[in-house]
Amino acid sequence: MIIVHHLNNSRSQRVLWMLEELELPYQIVRYQREPTMLAPEALKKVHPLGKSPVLEDNGNIIAESGAIIEYLQETYDTESRLKPLSEQDKLQYRFWLHYAEGSLMPLLMMKLVFSRMGKAPVPWLLRPVGNMLGQGIQKAYLNKQILTHARFIEEHLGKTPWFAGQTFSAADIQMSFPLIALLARGGINDLPNLQAWMKNAQMRPAWQRAIQQGGPFDIPGD
């Protein structure tokens, strides 16, 4: 039995989605975030980094959602339903699979951190300075970078309905978490192609089953 160590409102939601797309049986071990939004210490008993998701399968313990998604596709997707067949689409598949966490998500994490520098747990005496610093960094650097990435994604999805071509793939699953974060934190409204992609993704039965299995899913905004 595949075991998913699942943290609420986290990247592990897309692992559940991947498993549902593959129609594989699995068991969920649930963890709740601390009030600080950090993962609980109990996850360190599963993997030294104490992060989620972590997948257990056939004696293997696998961390990092991208690695997990690749493992599941290579191990269980025997008909290549979630990986394109053409060489050009494979290039896009590989790019977006790694772009999600390598390029886009770090900016969105920085956005979240700097937007909260004027709030608890920052000591109240430092909050005015923290707020000014956070807002300044966002205005001078982060917002421009995020807009560049948002336009890049929007242009790509104007050419093709899914990230790796005309058909849905695991690259779409991997991109889902940063795209939800982008819509929540980016402050950019004019993204019709991205919004259409999101609507189509959320209409998939496997997405809906994954939400039912994983519980309420809400990525914090700024």
Side-chain angles (χ1 to χ4, degrees):
M1 175 66 72
I2 295 172
I3 299 174
V4 181
H5 293 270
H6 172 66
L7 179 66
N8 66 305
N9 292 334
S10 78
R11 291 162 171 82
S12 60
Q13 185 64 43
R14 57 189 169 186
V15 173
L16 302 183
W17 185 12
M18 182 75 176
L19 289 164
E20 291 292 345
E21 290 285 354
L22 291 170
E23 301 180 271
L24 294 172
Y26 61 93
Q27 175 184 344
I28 299 177
V29 179
R30 301 180 188 275
Y31 303 82
Q32 289 293 123
R33 291 185 181 276
E34 302 289 351
T36 59
M37 295 302 294
L38 296 176
E41 286 291 314
L43 268 168
K44 288 187 176 179
K45 297 178 181 179
V46 183
H47 189 278
L49 292 179
K51 304 293 184 181
S52 176
V54 176
L55 187 88
E56 291 189 61
D57 185 38
N58 291 325
N60 299 309
I61 297 178
I62 308 167
E64 290 292 338
S65 53
I68 292 170
I69 286 173
E70 283 194 283
Y71 168 81
L72 290 172
Q73 191 281 319
E74 292 170 359
T75 305
Y76 294 105
D77 186 18
T78 55
E79 298 178 356
S80 291
R81 290 184 294 140
L82 297 178
K83 184 175 182 179
L85 298 177
S86 77
E87 291 304 315
Q88 188 60 41
D89 287 347
K90 282 181 182 178
L91 287 175
Q92 290 294 329
Y93 171 86
R94 186 174 294 113
F95 171 79
W96 294 106
L97 201 65
H98 293 276
Y99 167 87
E101 294 292 336
S103 294
L104 182 56
M105 199 61 212
L107 292 171
L108 297 169
M109 283 299 299
M110 291 172 65
K111 175 78 171 176
L112 181 63
V113 170
F114 284 113
S115 70
R116 294 187 171 187
M117 288 184 68
K119 305 175 183 178
V122 175
W124 68 272
L125 282 174
L126 299 179
R127 290 176 194 173
V129 175
N131 184 62
M132 291 177 60
L133 178 62
Q135 293 298 323
I137 292 173
Q138 291 181 74
K139 184 177 180 180
Y141 172 73
L142 273 179
N143 292 346
K144 296 175 184 178
Q145 289 292 315
I146 291 172
L147 179 60
T148 296
H149 284 264
R151 296 302 180 209
F152 172 62
I153 294 166
E154 179 70 8
E155 181 180 356
H156 178 74
L157 291 176
K159 300 174 184 176
T160 180
W162 300 105
F163 278 98
Q166 296 298 312
T167 58
F168 177 84
S169 74
D172 295 286
I173 296 175
Q174 178 70 349
M175 281 294 295
S176 63
F177 188 87
L179 289 188
I180 294 171
L182 174 62
L183 292 173
R185 300 172 192 167
I188 306 165
N189 297 318
D190 185 24
L191 299 171
N193 297 327
L194 197 161
Q195 293 281 6
W197 176 91
M198 183 63 65
K199 181 178 179 181
N200 289 333
Q202 292 175 340
M203 288 176 62
R204 294 183 68 83
W207 167 288
Q208 296 170 15
R209 292 196 302 271
I211 294 295
Q212 291 174 353
Q213 292 294 328
F217 184 55
D218 182 28
I219 296 179
D222 55 15

